[in-house]
Amino acid sequence: MDWKPHITVATIVEDNGRFLMVEESKGGRAVLNQPAGHLDPDETLIEAAVRETLEETGWDVEPTSVVGIYLYTAPSNGVTYQRVCFAAKALNHRPDYQLDDGILGAKWLTRDELLEQREYWRSELIIRCIDDYLDGHHHSLTLIRPSL
């Protein structure tokens, strides 16, 4: 059996109790997710988090900590994803930035607003990452070691 997990990153960006979320089209329906995506070749995890956040929201961010590392197997396709979730601060919004294909737009939502829209979550990782962030899981970026 040839099993390979998919390495992904996600970013928690908070502003006064609201979280930067992405509305995207997946399987013919609109879903909500953190800014997130796959690690590209020759890219660090931190670079991937910054890139994905910009490509999906139009926001430049600066990662400040690691929230957690998660394994998730998608029930829709059986693919296992390893997500490295970062906390980041928003630096600059580029409202005219051309967002990735399939991205409908960015939204700032509170945790309660997210709970009210549970049927639109891309996965349960959304609330797990936010709750870990709110519970104070902020690990040093030095946890992410450069490749040799």
Side-chain angles (χ1 to χ4, degrees):
M1 179 168 113
D2 189 25
W3 177 80
K4 293 181 179 133
H6 294 244
I7 309 237
T8 62
V9 294
T11 308
I12 302 286
V13 183
E14 182 200 8
D15 182 35
N16 293 313
R18 297 178 324 147
F19 296 92
L20 181 61
M21 302 300 294
V22 174
E23 185 176 28
E24 60 187 334
S25 179
K26 184 72 176 168
R29 66 187 279 262
V31 296
L32 292 169
N33 197 11
Q34 275 97 19
H38 292 274
L39 178 69
D40 283 348
D42 300 317
E43 181 177 54
T44 69
L45 291 165
I46 293 170
E47 290 167 345
V50 169
R51 176 187 52 77
E52 286 289 350
T53 304
L54 177 61
E55 290 176 352
E56 295 190 350
T57 69
W59 278 92
D60 291 306
V61 297
E62 179 184 337
T64 57
S65 64
V66 176
V67 175
I69 300 170
Y70 307 83
L71 279 181
Y72 174 75
T73 301
S76 61
N77 60 13
V79 173
T80 299
Y81 298 90
Q82 179 184 32
R83 173 187 271 203
V84 179
C85 185
F86 293 90
K89 66 179 178 181
L91 299 176
N92 177 53
H93 185 230
R94 301 190 214 179
D96 297 326
Y97 192 87
Q98 179 64 46
L99 303 180
D100 276 354
D101 287 343
I103 302 298
L104 304 174
K107 294 181 169 189
W108 290 91
L109 300 170
T110 66
R111 184 182 184 281
D112 287 342
E113 289 169 333
L114 276 168
L115 288 174
E116 292 168 3
Q117 299 180 52
R118 186 180 203 118
E119 68 270 20
Y120 299 108
W121 293 355
R122 181 151 180 190
S123 79
E124 294 290 323
L125 283 175
I126 290 172
I127 206 67
R128 175 82 187 271
C129 291
I130 287 174
D131 285 347
D132 285 351
Y133 168 85
L134 290 172
D135 286 343
H137 295 270
H138 301 266
H139 307 281
S140 171
L141 290 175
T142 60
L143 181 68
I144 307 297
R145 306 302 294 158
S147 59
L148 299 176

